[in-house]
């Protein structure tokens, strides 16, 4: 036997008459529960995506920091090689290159390392081979000490 219609528009004055009033709550629940389930699912998915995005961003920050450190180490090594080459040759072209690299590294440095780099820069201008090598050794030793303090083993 087919179920009777729940709504009927046959009442006078165009009023809707509800038949089977007990089923009205079931109809409302049938609408509200899926909407609530959809909202809860969306909130859970948003929170999960936000958490995953935050973890990915933190991972990328660590990776970028590591790449910056590697690039700085590479620039420092190139600077040390350039200064050594300038100390062991007579050409001003090597000294000019070394001066440029020392000033570049010095501009990024702070503290004792910056002071030693400034001294190396001055020594490159008018120092002897032995003075340049001694100043370079001081800078390298200070850089090694700084690296060991930053990364305890």
């Amino acid at each position: 036997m087919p179920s009777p219609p729940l709504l009927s528009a046959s009442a006078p004055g165009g009023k809707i008459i509800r038949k089977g009033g007990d089923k009205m709550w079931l109809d409302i629940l049938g609408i509200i529960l899926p909407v609530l389930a959809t909202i809860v699912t969306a909130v859970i998915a948003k929170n999960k995506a936000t958490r995953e995005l935050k973890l990915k961003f933190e991972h990328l920050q660590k990776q970028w920091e590591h790449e910056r450190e590697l690039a700085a180490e590479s620039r420092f090594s190139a600077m040390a090689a350039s200064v050594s080459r300038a100390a062991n040759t007579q050409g001003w072209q090597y000294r000019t290159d070394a001066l440029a690299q020392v000033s570049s590294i010095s501009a990024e440095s702070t503290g004792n390392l910056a002071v030693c780099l400034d001294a190396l820069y001055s020594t490159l201008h008018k120092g002897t081979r032995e003075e340049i090598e001694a100043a370079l050794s001081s800078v390298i030793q200070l850089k090694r000490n700084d690296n060991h303090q930053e990364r305890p083993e």
Side-chain angles (χ1 to χ4, degrees):
M1 170 183 227
S3 63
L6 295 176
L7 297 176
S8 173
S10 63
K15 293 185 180 181
I16 298 175
I17 299 174
R18 170 137 332 257
K19 294 183 180 176
D22 292 340
K23 293 186 178 184
M24 184 171 84
W25 289 107
L26 291 176
D27 291 341
I28 292 173
L29 285 176
I31 294 170
I32 291 176
L33 287 178
V35 170
L36 286 176
T38 302
I39 291 171
V40 168
T41 302
V43 168
I44 290 171
K46 179 193 170 282
N47 288 341
K48 182 179 178 187
T50 302
R51 186 174 53 250
E52 288 176 359
L53 185 62
K54 184 178 178 182
L55 289 173
K56 180 71 172 177
F57 184 70
E58 289 172 358
H59 174 73
L60 285 174
Q61 280 183 321
K62 289 177 184 175
Q63 185 177 357
W64 293 334
E65 180 62 31
H66 180 69
E67 288 173 2
R68 278 192 296 265
E69 288 175 7
L70 289 177
E73 290 296 323
S74 176
R75 285 192 314 273
F76 187 85
S77 295
M79 182 270 307
S82 178
V83 169
S84 180
R85 184 173 38 250
N88 292 303
T89 59
Q90 296 297 323
W92 269 100
Q93 69 211 29
Y94 297 116
R95 284 204 183 198
T96 304
D97 182 47
L99 286 166
Q101 289 190 28
V102 169
S103 66
S104 174
I105 301 292
S106 180
E108 299 171 359
S109 300
T110 59
N112 290 336
L113 183 59
V115 172
C116 278
L117 285 166
D118 289 341
L120 176 59
Y121 186 87
S122 297
T123 306
L124 267 171
H125 270 292
K126 56 188 174 226
T128 65
R129 180 179 153 253
E130 291 79 19
E131 292 172 333
I132 294 171
E133 287 179 350
L136 178 60
S137 293
S138 296
V139 169
I140 291 171
Q141 188 61 42
L142 188 59
K143 179 73 171 173
R144 285 181 184 153
N145 291 342
D146 285 349
N147 283 347
H148 287 297
Q149 289 175 358
E150 291 175 3
R151 296 184 204 134
E153 295 177 22

